[in-house]
Amino acid sequence: MAGRIEDYALIGDMQTAALVCRDGTVDWLCLPRFDSHAIFAGLLGNEEHGFWRLGPAHASDAQPPRAARRSYRGDSLILESEWDTPRGTVRVTDFMPPRDGAPQLVRIVEGVSGRVPMRSALRMRFSYGRVVPWVHKHESRTVAVAGPDSVWFDTSAETYGKSLTTYADFTVAPGDRIAFTISWQPSHKEPPPLPEPEQSLEATEDFWREWVGHCTYHGPYREAVIRSLITLKALTYAPTGGIVAAPTTSLPEDIGGVRNWDYRYTWLRDAAITLSSLLRTGYREEARAWREWLLRAVAGDPDNLQIMYGIAGERELGEAELDWLPGYENSTPVRVGNGAASQLQLDVYGEVTEALHLAHMTGLARNDYASLLQLKLIRYLEKHWQEPDEGIWEVRGPRRHFVHSKVMAWVAVDRTIKLLESGDVDGPLDRWKELRDDIHRDVCERGYDKERNTFTQSYGSKELDASLLLIPQMGFLPPDDKRVIGTIEAIQRELSTPDGFILRYPTSGGDEGVDGLPGDEGAFLACSFWMADDLAMIGRVDEARKLFEKLLSLRNDLGLLAEEWDPRLKRQVGNFPQAFSHVPLIDTALRLTASGAYGG
């Protein structure tokens, strides 16, 4: 069975990513892109669906031993795991070199002390564990072929096949270094070049050292910020600049439940807030690449803006279920594709406009089409802002007039007015000022509960929603407004777990609720960071710092966060690692640092 979500480490090459468990098993890898079919899908099933285990040899009926220690090498995405065994200590270094050609996963075994028997067990299964490839020798190399895909396995260790698995049994002594590499190549092409593991390791370390060197944040939370930035970089598809929400699909928000979604796509919302964090920490090139991705994705059809696209800007993301996979801890269905791509979510217009505004304000080279796109988006909102939508949380129940969606429509108009006032573009300034006032008035009259002194999830609703925490952060109302303070305190009372973390909205347990789904979910980590931000903004800085540091303690030993935290099971849940968790971590660290609200 797959490990707990927090047992996994991320390695990647800015085009795809692998998850490596504490026992040395790669249980998830899609090749050649984030959204390609997995060749290791054991994460969502079992060993029959593909894995690669590399670690100390153990009895076939025993649980694989877990590494005694593991960490990333400095500020990089190079994973080092060490096992202490009765016969000695061994280290395995896992990484994926930033690529010019074939994608590679490299694993280097190094003897530290004693003489340690080791085993590599490689079981490739294409098409998410459904297809057994033809594995054979090509000269001195092992290759697995199925349809359009081929994966080449290279090592100096002696290998043999058994039970449709490729094994290598060997022993390492101090100073021994034995490398194992898999490389993907279209099956109709010539074999990929022989890997050079040691040179690739050096180049990968140099890449990350140089990249991290551009970070402009040097505050007290630097370690957490740097690891989050590296994670966001790893989730960026280098050829296009698109940013995936997570490298996985169908890791459940509710263990054993149906809240399982494919996050290997680019949500405009997630990518826009990621751009904000990158710009504020010195990464202008990534911000420029994302803006160019956005303009290509939306080009020619801004009136039909989707909430998400493929990593190269693809629009068709049809959802399907993989019924041969039993799911992570029996959480079904396992889904690929995402039907929410066709939803109407008016808040996206605000997030995109805010990102374009920030890029403009921070001096990113002007792009005339970006300004033109912004004007077209506002013209669309003029006609549609009064419509109900599915909202930020992509509910699969009926559309509603979500307050957050209206607030973000206000943000879109407000930031475009600022663009017009800068003199860079022309537009109907007076008309849009009136529109901004109309939206603001509508929200304050229809989305605010005077008796409880709180904004509500949607017009006419009594429910709360953690997205309301963004009202002061977006400048819709000042932090000291009594309605803002009342909303913050209401969310603390009604949407807080016993640990002080924040739920997105009330769920219904066994019945279908506002989101159209049965079951519950964990505390949403982004919302919990938003609460820390709001507490700092209203002057409760010690409380904000304590909540932030409690959130930092939820990270796994490598500094990674999934989408949610299950307060009952005390474990991470949801797709992993999650951009929408790491971005607000960075934002809250910047806010607390600026306010001086950090402890010793």
Side-chain angles (χ1 to χ4, degrees):
M1 189 173 76
R4 290 165 67 101
I5 289 171
E6 52 265 50
D7 284 339
Y8 285 93
L10 174 77
I11 58 174
D13 62 3
M14 282 71 71
Q15 296 191 44
T16 190
L19 294 187
V20 187
C21 196
R22 284 179 182 271
D23 63 8
T25 304
V26 181
D27 276 323
W28 184 254
L29 174 62
C30 300
L31 291 173
R33 306 191 336 173
F34 291 109
D35 56 353
S36 299
H37 291 200
I39 69 162
F40 303 136
L43 183 67
L44 301 178
N46 53 52
E47 291 186 350
E48 292 303 315
H49 301 108
F51 72 95
W52 184 8
R53 182 173 299 119
L54 180 57
H58 63 284
S60 59
D61 58 349
Q63 191 73 18
R66 292 156 61 92
R69 294 169 297 282
R70 64 174 183 171
S71 63
Y72 287 115
R73 180 181 292 186
D75 293 330
S76 77
L77 211 59
I78 300 168
L79 176 68
E80 295 182 327
S81 305
E82 290 187 354
W83 284 261
D84 297 327
T85 78
R87 298 191 181 186
T89 296
V90 65
R91 179 183 302 120
V92 175
T93 301
D94 294 322
F95 65 99
M96 297 183 72
R99 62 170 113 152
D100 293 323
Q104 295 182 341
L105 192 163
V106 183
R107 316 192 73 179
I108 300 176
V109 181
E110 178 184 359
V112 177
S113 67
R115 293 179 55 81
V116 182
M118 299 289 291
R119 167 170 281 193
S120 166
L122 174 64
R123 181 177 295 171
M124 290 176 278
R125 296 292 183 266
F126 294 4
S127 295
Y128 300 104
R130 193 176 195 181
V131 175
V132 178
W134 172 40
V135 179
H136 60 283
K137 288 288 188 180
H138 180 89
E139 298 176 353
S140 62
R141 310 176 73 179
T142 300
V143 58
V145 178
D149 302 296
S150 69
V151 176
W152 296 75
F153 178 48
D154 293 287
T155 181
S156 60
E158 203 169 309
T159 65
Y160 62 95
K162 180 182 177 183
S163 303
L164 300 177
T165 304
T166 301
Y167 290 96
D169 295 319
F170 57 101
T171 299
V172 289
D176 289 347
R177 291 175 68 87
I178 300 176
F180 298 78
T181 302
I182 59 171
S183 310
W184 179 91
Q185 185 84 322
S187 59
H188 64 277
K189 290 192 173 183
E190 293 295 312
L194 282 167
E196 297 179 330
E198 298 294 348
Q199 294 91 323
S200 294
L201 176 60
E202 183 178 350
T204 302
E205 190 168 12
D206 289 345
F207 170 87
W208 287 109
R209 184 186 301 111
E210 192 274 336
W211 188 83
V212 169
H214 292 287
C215 180
T216 56
Y217 175 77
H218 297 283
Y221 302 113
R222 181 173 168 83
E223 175 272 327
V225 168
I226 289 292
R227 182 49 53 192
S228 292
L229 286 168
I230 290 172
T231 303
L232 295 178
K233 178 66 171 175
L235 299 181
T236 302
Y237 184 63
T240 67
I243 302 167
V244 297
T248 56
T249 179
S250 299
L251 289 180
E253 298 166 9
D254 181 20
I255 299 291
V258 301
R259 297 168 181 262
N260 318 315
W261 315 107
D262 193 346
Y263 276 17
R264 298 171 299 156
Y265 304 111
T266 299
W267 268 254
L268 294 190
R269 177 188 305 110
D270 297 31
I273 64 170
T274 300
L275 178 143
S276 170
S277 294
L278 290 169
L279 276 171
R280 292 196 290 154
T281 49
Y283 291 99
R284 297 166 62 86
E285 179 56 32
E286 284 74 13
R288 183 202 61 77
W290 177 81
R291 186 179 67 181
E292 297 303 314
W293 174 91
L294 172 69
L295 299 180
R296 291 192 303 271
V298 181
D301 200 13
D303 286 349
N304 292 315
L305 189 74
Q306 294 190 181
I307 65 162
M308 73 180 87
Y309 296 83
I311 52 180
E314 299 91 345
R315 286 176 169 266
E316 300 301 323
L317 308 177
E319 187 172 298
E321 297 179 2
L322 308 185
D323 58 9
W324 62 89
L325 286 173
Y328 179 86
E329 295 192 17
N330 297 312
S331 304
T332 56
V334 172
R335 295 181 173 95
V336 294
N338 200 306
S342 61
Q343 288 187 352
L344 174 65
Q345 296 178 23
L346 293 172
D347 67 291
V348 169
Y349 292 82
E351 275 106 15
V352 169
T353 303
E354 168 77 345
L356 294 174
H357 171 72
L358 182 62
H360 179 79
M361 294 299 294
T362 54
L364 204 63
R366 178 176 170 177
N367 183 300
D368 289 336
Y369 183 64
S371 299
L372 178 62
L373 171 63
Q374 193 168 335
L375 297 180
K376 287 185 175 182
L377 296 180
I378 301 310
R379 291 191 177 100
Y380 176 86
L381 274 181
E382 266 192 300
K383 301 176 183 176
H384 299 281
W385 73 270
Q386 293 175 299
E387 297 177 6
D389 71 340
E390 277 91 0
I392 181 175
W393 307 128
E394 300 170 6
V395 300
R396 300 203 173 195
R399 289 182 176 181
R400 290 171 169 79
H401 292 281
F402 288 103
V403 170
H404 174 260
S405 295
K406 309 299 187 190
V407 169
M408 294 310 296
W410 177 92
V411 169
V413 179
D414 178 72
R415 304 315 190 254
T416 305
I417 287 171
K418 289 178 168 58
L419 177 66
L420 298 181
E421 290 175 337
S422 73
D424 284 347
V425 296
D426 294 322
L429 183 60
D430 290 340
R431 190 175 90 213
W432 286 351
K433 284 185 175 180
E434 185 176 343
L435 173 63
R436 179 177 62 181
D437 291 343
D438 288 344
I439 299 173
H440 199 280
R441 186 182 312 108
D442 193 66
V443 171
C444 292
E445 290 178 357
R446 302 176 64 195
Y448 173 68
D449 184 337
K450 292 181 180 179
E451 293 182 5
R452 297 159 65 209
N453 186 29
T454 180
F455 286 95
T456 59
Q457 183 181 59
S458 61
Y459 290 178
S461 169
K462 291 294 185 181
E463 303 287 6
L464 297 182
D465 192 302
S467 62
L468 301 169
L469 294 169
L470 294 174
I471 286 175
Q473 297 178 37
M474 291 295 107
F476 183 83
L477 285 172
D480 59 359
D481 189 289
K482 72 177 185 68
R483 293 165 293 183
V484 168
I485 296 172
T487 301
I488 294 169
E489 292 178 344
I491 289 173
Q492 278 189 309
R493 287 194 306 270
E494 297 185 28
L495 293 182
S496 182
T497 69
D499 293 329
F501 305 127
I502 304 300
L503 304 170
R504 289 191 291 182
Y505 48 79
T507 51
S508 56
D511 301 320
E512 290 190 3
V514 65
D515 56 15
L517 296 167
D520 289 313
E521 63 175 20
F524 203 78
L525 295 177
C527 300
S528 303
F529 285 112
W530 295 344
M531 175 60 77
D533 275 319
D534 277 20
L535 292 172
M537 292 179 76
I538 65 174
R540 292 159 59 175
V541 291
D542 286 343
E543 191 177 347
R545 175 182 57 80
K546 289 176 182 176
L547 176 56
F548 179 66
E549 293 180 353
K550 187 183 288 188
L551 285 162
L552 291 185
S553 72
L554 301 184
R555 299 175 301 155
N556 75 356
D557 57 312
L558 298 171
L560 302 178
L561 287 170
E563 185 178 26
E564 300 181 8
W565 172 259
D566 189 318
R568 300 160 303 167
L569 301 176
K570 304 296 183 185
R571 56 183 295 193
Q572 295 191 30
V573 290
N575 283 305
F576 175 88
Q578 174 72 230
F580 207 43
S581 297
H582 284 279
V583 168
L585 183 159
I586 296 168
D587 292 345
T588 307
L590 294 176
R591 188 182 301 277
L592 292 177
T593 300
S595 70
Y598 47 89

